[in-house]
Amino acid sequence: MVDTTALVALVVAAVALVIALTQLAQQLLATAYVIRKCDSIVTGTLTRGGTRQWHWRQFRFTVKYQSIVFTLPPSVYSSLGINSTISVNSTIKSIPSSTAICERATMTRPQRTSAQACWISLLQDLTAAGCLTPEDICTKDESGDRIPDDLTVAPTRVDCMTILLSSIAMGMQVFRYSPTTGEIVLGGSSGSISSSNHPVLGGLLHYSVFSEERNITKPIKYHVHALRHDGGIWANGVFGRFRDRSYKPEMVSLWTLMNRKMPLLQRCGWSDGLAVGDADSGPGAACFMALGHVDVCEIAPPSVFRAYAAHFGEIIVKAHHIEVLKFENELRSSAGGPHGPFTLNESGYSRDELKSSSPYLTGDLTPFQHIYTEKTSIVPKASMMVPAGSLLKILGPQVENSWLRLRDNEQDPSSYCPPALLWEMLQLVDRCIRLVVDQVPQVYQAALRVWSDEIIARASHILSDVGAPSWGNPSITMEQWPDTITSIHEDAMPTIEKACDASPEDMILIRHNLRLHAELSALRSAYCTVMMRAAPALGPGLTTNSNIETALAYMA
């Protein structure tokens, strides 16, 4: 009887052992499917693959893996008035690990495969472009138990605002952006981002790579610098918010800026109201005037501008190009003549992509000081004030009387000037504006800008009848434009002289510099407008009603 009992106990123990081993094998087999979703192939070898951990109390394995989370700097979010939904551990101890991830992401980018997670592909592109730095990246341990069964790769958490802004900097257009409802659609030549609502995770994003170019293009690098601007000039501009220093230095909507200009425009004959319509009517003029005072950064312009980009800005820019060519032609035909030895060039000018451009900023204005000093005696024109070597390369000044060809060509500047060149010209014009303002006694500088605005409002009204799609008679209009500002300036001077009660010496400075300031300010607004028309549109997703909002999402 004892032997029988022992035998039964042995059989029961053996069966229990078999069951236990079966359960263990089942756990191993179950984790094999999970661990395949987060192995080193999925993570592009940027992190270690998933690892198994045995839990005695639960008698089962769990899978742990490392995901990579990333977000734009806090300064960008604070400028937008929101907080990132992703926190990054950027301590001194974590930086070496993050640096290694960035370096490896850039190095492995040319060898990426379709088996890796799409968030790894996006990370590779963003680090290669410079959108992300080691301070923006860290790894976090995640549980494989939380990977939904219907996903083939492990997801990572992302912040929707980081995805939006970095994708725009990479050249994508915005077709839909509503993070609270999980609807995000972006696309461009390099790739696209689409969204869906997952029953477990919520918002789920997917990045599709269209281009496998090894090198990041130069325009993308310029936009990336603007993306990381501490003041958020570019990031706010995407949502149609700008800093208007003529009022007070705060970020306000384009709609607010346009409303501030409408009373002046109405006094100068422009139509009232801001309903979307003809860009060369009151709304377009209000946008044009507002652009003369806002800070601008290297741009992929917000689509909010598109409905109000005045076509007459093209005429003003082209008139400037004709003046530059004509001036260059005079210099070539009369070396050492009435204009002296001065030649148009960019000697001493260096590009700084990390700063915004504004007619109100302070700083070194060389090499423009000597240009103004040489030309003050002959009351220079805007074309004499702006060094434009790269512009002349585009327009071909070596051809005799090339300005005549440009005048008779009905091609818009937005079609023959690349955005980078227009941005460069804008920076040069802003420096010249600051130099002109510095020539006027400080007590009259604020009034100078007000008088200048009124001259521009009256002068630009003459261009309102020459709009898209027909230029009317552009050659005559463009030739007359510089004289238009001069004529209105002369008409305004008697009233200004009575109003300011300045000394004769100060009045001479005001008279000369007011005309020049009006020319340059109109040119500044025109270059901003043409940049909006020249660069690729961001699509219909961002409008004046777009809210600055973000949300947590997943990417797999």
Side-chain angles (χ1 to χ4, degrees):
M1 183 65 180
V2 176
D3 292 340
T4 303
T5 302
L7 181 61
V8 171
L10 180 62
V11 171
V12 171
V15 171
L17 177 62
V18 170
I19 292 174
L21 291 174
T22 302
Q23 288 179 329
L24 181 61
Q26 186 180 23
Q27 288 292 321
L28 285 171
L29 291 174
T31 56
Y33 178 62
V34 175
I35 207 166
R36 189 178 64 181
K37 296 181 179 182
C38 53
D39 61 13
S40 58
I41 297 176
V42 171
T43 61
T45 68
L46 299 186
T47 63
R48 67 174 186 268
T51 57
R52 295 183 178 91
Q53 290 182 334
W54 175 252
H55 298 271
W56 283 104
R57 290 186 178 181
Q58 302 175 15
F59 200 70
R60 70 185 186 95
F61 284 102
T62 59
V63 174
K64 296 289 185 181
Y65 71 95
Q66 279 189 332
S67 69
I68 303 176
V69 295
F70 51 88
T71 183
L72 290 174
S75 59
V76 175
Y77 281 88
S78 61
S79 72
L80 292 169
I82 58 176
N83 295 314
S84 176
T85 58
I86 299 294
S87 61
V88 172
N89 179 19
S90 57
T91 61
I92 296 177
K93 292 182 179 180
S94 67
I95 293 301
S97 175
S98 299
T99 302
I101 290 175
C102 285
E103 292 174 350
R104 182 137 188 90
T106 303
M107 183 178 65
T108 58
R109 181 172 175 265
Q111 291 85 38
R112 60 186 173 192
T113 66
S114 58
Q116 68 185 36
C118 69
W119 52 271
I120 292 293
S121 298
L122 179 62
L123 179 67
Q124 290 170 330
D125 286 343
L126 295 183
T127 53
C131 293
L132 299 176
T133 65
E135 291 78 11
D136 308 323
I137 299 172
C138 75
T139 58
K140 290 195 174 182
D141 291 332
E142 302 283 0
S143 172
D145 292 347
R146 301 188 63 183
I147 302 177
D149 292 338
D150 57 346
L151 294 185
T152 58
V153 296
T156 192
R157 287 170 288 176
V158 294
D159 183 83
C160 291
M161 185 60 69
T162 290
I163 298 299
L164 173 73
L165 295 179
S166 58
S167 297
I168 292 174
M170 293 287 289
M172 294 189 194
Q173 298 181 10
V174 182
F175 298 103
R176 179 68 176 161
Y177 181 71
S178 181
T180 53
T181 60
E183 297 174 272
I184 299 176
V185 182
L186 309 166
S189 58
S190 60
S192 69
I193 290 178
S194 57
S195 65
S196 61
N197 282 311
H198 193 273
V200 177
L201 300 178
L204 184 65
L205 305 181
H206 181 77
Y207 176 55
S208 300
V209 181
F210 294 164
S211 174
E212 293 293 347
E213 292 185 9
R214 295 175 62 90
N215 299 319
I216 299 297
T217 61
K218 198 172 183 180
I220 289 177
K221 291 183 178 180
Y222 291 157
H223 291 161
V224 166
H225 282 298
L227 162 68
R228 300 183 63 83
H229 189 277
D230 286 343
I233 303 299
W234 185 89
N236 277 274
V238 168
F239 287 91
R241 296 206 317 169
F242 305 90
R243 179 179 290 132
D244 180 7
R245 293 179 184 267
S246 68
Y247 193 75
K248 59 181 179 179
E250 62 177 357
M251 292 291 183
V252 294
S253 68
L254 175 64
W255 195 259
T256 300
L257 296 175
M258 292 167 63
N259 270 301
R260 289 174 181 172
K261 300 299 180 184
M262 282 309 299
L264 169 62
L265 291 167
Q266 291 169 11
R267 293 197 303 270
C268 297
W270 285 94
S271 62
D272 57 355
L274 290 177
V276 178
D278 183 7
D280 290 310
S281 63
C287 179
F288 179 84
M289 294 292 294
L291 288 174
H293 299 278
V294 299
D295 292 359
V296 178
C297 208
E298 183 101 34
I299 48 174
S303 60
V304 65
F305 263 115
R306 289 303 176 113
Y308 306 105
H311 183 269
F312 61 74
E314 304 267 11
I315 299 174
I316 297 173
V317 169
K318 196 163 189 179
H320 177 238
H321 293 174
I322 291 172
E323 279 194 287
V324 168
L325 288 181
K326 189 184 295 186
F327 183 47
E328 176 72 6
N329 187 67
E330 291 174 359
L331 289 175
R332 289 176 180 274
S333 60
S334 58
H339 297 292
F342 169 65
T343 57
L344 294 174
N345 60 74
E346 292 169 15
S347 174
Y349 169 68
S350 61
R351 183 188 188 105
D352 187 351
E353 296 87 358
L354 293 178
K355 293 182 179 179
S356 62
S357 190
S358 169
Y360 291 86
L361 298 178
T362 58
D364 184 21
L365 295 174
T366 56
F368 307 103
Q369 185 70 48
H370 75 281
I371 298 173
Y372 184 88
T373 303
E374 289 181 13
K375 298 301 170 186
T376 299
S377 60
I378 62 171
V379 190
K381 290 185 176 181
S383 58
M384 300 179 187
M385 288 287 293
V386 181
S390 57
L391 173 63
L392 294 173
K393 292 177 184 178
I394 295 290
L395 301 179
Q398 68 278 5
V399 180
E400 188 68 22
N401 292 328
S402 56
W403 65 273
L404 291 172
R405 299 187 181 186
L406 184 64
R407 182 198 66 181
D408 297 331
N409 185 345
E410 294 193 8
Q411 192 177 17
D412 288 358
S414 58
S415 63
Y416 67 75
C417 288
L421 172 62
L422 295 168
W423 161 246
E424 193 169 292
M425 294 301 296
L426 173 65
Q427 287 183 302
L428 294 169
V429 170
D430 277 347
R431 293 191 180 192
C432 290
I433 290 175
R434 298 198 298 272
L435 176 60
V436 168
V437 172
D438 286 347
Q439 311 305 311
V440 178
Q442 189 171 5
V443 67
Y444 301 113
Q445 289 181 3
L448 180 83
R449 292 187 172 100
V450 174
W451 298 329
S452 176
D453 269 1
E454 186 161 349
I455 291 173
I456 295 170
R458 295 187 183 280
S460 59
H461 186 252
I462 298 173
L463 301 177
S464 60
D465 295 331
V466 186
S470 170
W471 280 59
N473 194 342
S475 59
I476 295 176
T477 304
M478 287 185 294
E479 285 188 81
Q480 292 178 344
W481 169 250
D483 296 331
T484 300
I485 285 188
T486 301
S487 175
I488 294 176
H489 163 260
E490 290 300 323
D491 292 341
M493 281 311 302
T495 304
I496 292 173
E497 289 174 358
K498 292 179 182 179
C500 68
D501 193 28
S503 67
E505 294 79 9
D506 288 346
M507 202 66 243
I508 292 174
L509 290 173
I510 292 172
R511 172 181 288 273
H512 289 178
N513 289 286
L514 176 57
R515 179 189 58 77
L516 200 53
H517 188 277
E519 285 185 6
L520 290 167
S521 293
L523 197 57
R524 204 261 182 182
S525 295
Y527 270 112
C528 283
T529 301
V530 172
M531 277 195 297
M532 301 305 167
R533 296 169 63 93
L538 299 185
L542 297 179
T543 66
T544 53
N545 297 321
S546 296
N547 296 322
I548 300 180
E549 57 184 0
T550 189
L552 178 68
Y554 285 83
M555 181 170 279

